[in-house]
Amino acid sequence: MATIGFIGLGNMGGPMAANLAKAGHSVQAFDLSAEALSAATAAGCRQAESAQDAVKGAAMVITMLPAGKHVKSLLLEGDAPLFEHLEDGALVIDCSTIDVHTAREIAAAAQQRQIDFIDAPVSGGVGGAQAGTLTFIVGGSAEQYATALPVLQAMGKNIFHAGEHGAGQIAKACNNMMLAILMAGTCEALSMGVKNGLDPAVLSDIMKQSSGNNWALQVYNPVPGVMDNVPASRDYQGGFQVDLMYKDLGLAMDLSQQSASATPMGSAARALFNLHKSQGNGGLDFSSLIRLYQ
Ligand code: NAD
């Protein structure tokens, strides 16, 4: 069992750190939020005083932060960049969803300092983080992937090696663009059915057994009351914020521009989430997009 520094204990990082502790690892946890820190302590992690304190004696360091600027500033910038506080031979695993450019920039800076760093964004939502069934998509060398694997297996079920540094973030951007399109389509179809007199639970069951079946219908229904234990049934609190989905769609649009890939559906989904966010819904779960249609 390893000593692991874990930084970023939000909706995703909190349950991921808890699963590492449950698996017997010694987890030194840090977050800027006192509330997130005390939840991690209650789940068996040791509360670190700072990010620098969290990485003391750690063979692995996991970051789960909102965006590229947070990861870069923690690892490379400021008075006490974390890259200068790591133990020799420590592997840094960034599980945040960030832009490919920043992921590669950090990987290059790590290589210069002979530090091991991989991008390992996740899919599966808060439910997957809690259940320890996340999908991890790793960008890095085969050796780094092999070192990370046993620790990632304590938090996830499917662990993929997508390719070299940055490849994990590219795959994640493709996946989340698809997810946004599927969620928008699911909201649109369910709203049309309800406006035409159908029960959303019945319509969801029909589509789940038909060609419209998708992940949102299976585990993340956007209509309140259709499923227990999803954000829609707790006023869209917790889960995956509209702000974060909007960020991810921005990452996908950057990629599409850089590679001259046509993404009209991704672009339409981004416009929808932008409209929803501009109406003050950035802090709600992304399935709240259905309110745009009601
Ligand atoms: P969140 O906002 O709930 O958590 C982020 C946490 O990071 C917060 O607790 C915040 O206090 C902390 N933080 C920010 N800067 C910090 C710093 N410098 N030092 C220590 N702590 C700091 O976000 P989340 O939903 O947990 O998402 C985290 C990442 O995972 C994002 O990149 C997101 O896109 C990705 N993601 C989220 C989901 C989901 O369903 N929520 C699913 C897959 C991927």
Side-chain angles (χ1 to χ4, degrees):
M1 290 297 145
T3 297
I4 300 170
F6 203 115
I7 299 153
L9 307 162
N11 289 325
M12 295 294 287
M16 288 164 69
N19 278 331
L20 288 175
K22 206 157 76 182
H25 294 291
S26 166
V27 184
Q28 306 180 155
F30 180 70
D31 195 290
L32 297 175
S33 146
E35 201 185 327
L37 260 180
S38 51
T41 315
C45 302
R46 176 178 85 73
Q47 182 169 329
E49 298 303 318
S50 62
Q52 291 71 26
D53 181 35
V55 305
K56 261 186 215 149
M60 303 228 182
V61 174
I62 298 177
T63 48
M64 192 51 166
L65 301 171
K69 63 180 180 192
H70 305 93
V71 182
K72 184 175 170 187
S73 114
L74 177 77
L75 297 178
L76 294 179
E77 298 170 347
D79 292 341
L82 219 55
F83 270 3
E84 290 177 11
H85 289 78
L86 299 173
E87 300 295 339
D88 286 347
L91 170 68
V92 181
I93 305 173
D94 180 35
C95 295
S96 329
T97 303
I98 72 171
D99 60 287
V100 185
H101 175 75
T102 302
R104 289 188 173 145
E105 192 185 342
I106 297 172
Q111 214 157 11
Q112 268 179 2
R113 295 164 173 78
Q114 295 182 317
I115 291 169
D116 281 309
F117 170 85
I118 57 174
D119 45 301
V122 306
S123 178
V126 174
Q130 287 165 344
T133 57
L134 289 171
T135 295
F136 284 86
I137 316 165
V138 175
S141 71
E143 294 75 23
Q144 291 166 336
Y145 170 75
T147 308
L149 191 59
V151 166
L152 300 184
Q153 280 167 335
M155 301 180 283
K157 197 168 67 171
N158 297 301
I159 325 288
F160 292 100
H161 185 201
E164 279 302 318
H165 296 103
Q169 298 296 355
I170 295 173
K172 172 69 182 168
C174 295
N175 180 73
N176 273 28
M177 183 178 79
M178 172 87 110
L179 171 63
I181 294 167
L182 290 174
M183 181 57 85
T186 301
C187 291
E188 214 161 288
L190 285 171
S191 298
M192 185 167 77
V194 168
K195 283 195 177 165
N196 284 279
L198 291 194
D199 178 331
V202 172
L203 178 57
S204 296
D205 278 345
I206 293 167
M207 293 198 293
K208 271 197 285 188
Q209 299 303 326
S210 306
S211 43
N213 187 20
N214 69 75
W215 186 87
L217 276 176
Q218 281 169 0
V219 301
Y220 220 95
N221 199 293
V223 180
V226 171
M227 267 181 181
D228 292 334
N229 216 11
V230 290
S233 297
R234 43 173 194 270
D235 211 17
Y236 304 103
Q237 299 303 309
F240 182 40
Q241 292 178 2
V242 169
D243 281 341
L244 290 177
M245 178 52 100
Y246 182 66
K247 172 207 67 168
D248 289 358
L249 286 165
L251 302 181
M253 294 302 102
D254 286 348
L255 266 186
S256 91
Q257 202 173 8
Q258 287 154 21
S259 53
S261 309
T263 53
M265 301 288 283
S267 176
R270 184 169 188 244
L272 283 171
F273 279 99
N274 191 19
L275 181 60
H276 190 46
K277 174 180 158 69
S278 73
Q279 293 174 351
N281 300 306
L284 298 182
D285 177 75
F286 82 119
S287 62
S288 65
L289 186 75
I290 199 157
R291 288 184 173 167
L292 208 60
Y293 297 88
Q294 289 166 338

